[in-house]
Coordinates of all heavy atoms in Angstrom, one line a residue:
H1005 N -17.1 10.8 -12.0 CA -18.3 10.1 -11.2 C -18.1 8.7 -11.2 O -18.1 8.0 -10.2 CB -19.7 10.5 -11.7 CG -20.0 12.0 -11.3 ND1 -19.7 12.6 -10.2 CD2 -20.5 13.0 -12.1 CE1 -20.2 13.9 -10.1 NE2 -20.7 14.1 -11.3
Q1006 N -18.0 8.1 -12.6 CA -17.9 6.7 -12.6 C -16.7 6.1 -12.2 O -16.6 4.9 -11.7 CB -18.3 6.4 -14.1 CG -19.6 6.8 -14.6 CD -19.9 6.5 -16.0 OE1 -19.3 7.2 -16.9 NE2 -20.7 5.6 -16.4
V1007 N -15.6 6.7 -12.4 CA -14.3 6.3 -11.9 C -14.4 6.3 -10.5 O -13.8 5.3 -9.8 CB -13.2 7.1 -12.5 CG1 -11.9 6.8 -11.8 CG2 -13.0 7.1 -13.9
D1008 N -14.9 7.3 -9.7 CA -15.0 7.2 -8.2 C -15.8 5.9 -7.7 O -15.5 5.4 -6.8 CB -15.7 8.5 -7.8 CG -14.8 9.7 -7.9 OD1 -13.6 9.6 -7.7 OD2 -15.3 10.8 -7.8
I1009 N -16.9 5.7 -8.5 CA -17.7 4.6 -8.1 C -16.9 3.2 -8.1 O -16.9 2.5 -7.1 CB -19.0 4.5 -9.0 CG1 -19.9 5.6 -8.7 CG2 -19.6 3.1 -8.9 CD1 -21.1 5.7 -9.7
V1010 N -16.2 2.9 -9.3 CA -15.6 1.6 -9.5 C -14.2 1.6 -8.5 O -13.9 0.6 -8.0 CB -15.2 1.4 -10.9 CG1 -16.6 1.3 -11.7 CG2 -14.4 2.4 -11.5
R1011 N -13.6 2.7 -8.4 CA -12.5 2.7 -7.5 C -12.8 2.5 -6.0 O -12.1 1.7 -5.4 CB -11.7 4.0 -7.5 CG -10.9 4.4 -8.9 CD -10.1 5.7 -8.6 NE -9.1 5.4 -7.6 CZ -9.0 6.5 -6.7 NH1 -9.6 7.7 -6.8 NH2 -8.1 6.4 -5.8
A1012 N -14.0 3.1 -5.7 CA -14.4 2.9 -4.3 C -14.8 1.4 -4.0 O -14.4 0.7 -3.0 CB -15.6 3.7 -4.0
I1013 N -15.5 0.8 -5.0 CA -16.0 -0.6 -4.7 C -14.8 -1.5 -4.9 O -14.8 -2.5 -4.1 CB -17.1 -0.9 -5.8 CG1 -18.2 0.0 -5.4 CG2 -17.4 -2.4 -5.7 CD1 -19.3 0.0 -6.5
A1014 N -14.0 -1.4 -5.8 CA -12.8 -2.4 -6.1 C -11.8 -2.2 -5.0 O -11.3 -3.2 -4.5 CB -12.1 -2.0 -7.4
D1015 N -11.8 -1.1 -4.4 CA -10.8 -0.8 -3.2 C -9.4 -1.3 -3.4 O -8.8 -1.9 -2.7 CB -11.3 -1.7 -2.0 CG -11.0 -1.1 -0.6 OD1 -10.5 0.1 -0.6 OD2 -11.0 -1.9 0.4
S1016 N -8.9 -0.9 -4.8 CA -7.6 -1.3 -5.1 C -7.2 -0.3 -6.1 O -7.8 0.3 -6.9 CB -7.7 -2.7 -5.8 OG -6.4 -3.0 -6.3
P1017 N -5.8 0.1 -6.3 CA -5.3 1.0 -7.2 C -5.7 0.4 -8.7 O -5.7 -0.8 -8.9 CB -3.8 1.1 -7.0 CG -3.7 0.5 -5.4 CD -4.8 -0.5 -5.3
V1018 N -5.8 1.4 -9.6 CA -6.0 1.0 -11.0 C -4.6 0.9 -11.6 O -3.7 1.7 -11.4 CB -6.8 2.2 -11.8 CG1 -6.9 1.8 -13.2 CG2 -8.1 2.5 -11.2
S1019 N -4.4 -0.2 -12.3 CA -3.2 -0.6 -12.9 C -3.2 -0.3 -14.4 O -2.0 0.0 -15.0 CB -2.8 -2.0 -12.6 OG -3.7 -2.9 -13.2
E1020 N -4.3 -0.3 -15.1 CA -4.3 -0.2 -16.5 C -5.5 0.3 -17.0 O -6.6 -0.1 -16.4 CB -3.9 -1.5 -17.3 CG -3.6 -1.4 -18.8 CD -3.2 -2.7 -19.3 OE1 -3.9 -3.8 -19.3 OE2 -2.0 -2.9 -19.8
V1021 N -5.5 1.2 -18.0 CA -6.7 1.7 -18.5 C -6.8 1.6 -20.0 O -5.8 2.0 -20.7 CB -6.9 3.3 -18.1 CG1 -8.0 3.9 -18.7 CG2 -6.7 3.4 -16.6
Y1022 N -7.9 1.2 -20.6 CA -8.1 1.3 -22.1 C -9.4 2.1 -22.3 O -10.4 1.8 -21.7 CB -8.2 -0.2 -22.6 CG -8.3 -0.2 -24.1 CD1 -7.3 0.2 -25.0 CD2 -9.6 -0.4 -24.7 CE1 -7.5 0.2 -26.5 CE2 -9.9 -0.4 -26.2 CZ -8.7 -0.1 -26.9 OH -8.9 -0.1 -28.2

Side-chain angles (χ1 to χ4, degrees):
H1005 288 316
Q1006 295 177 291
V1007 172
D1008 282 338
I1009 289 171
V1010 299
R1011 286 187 62 221
I1013 296 170
D1015 204 20
S1016 175
V1018 178
S1019 59
E1020 190 173 66
V1021 179
Y1022 180 76

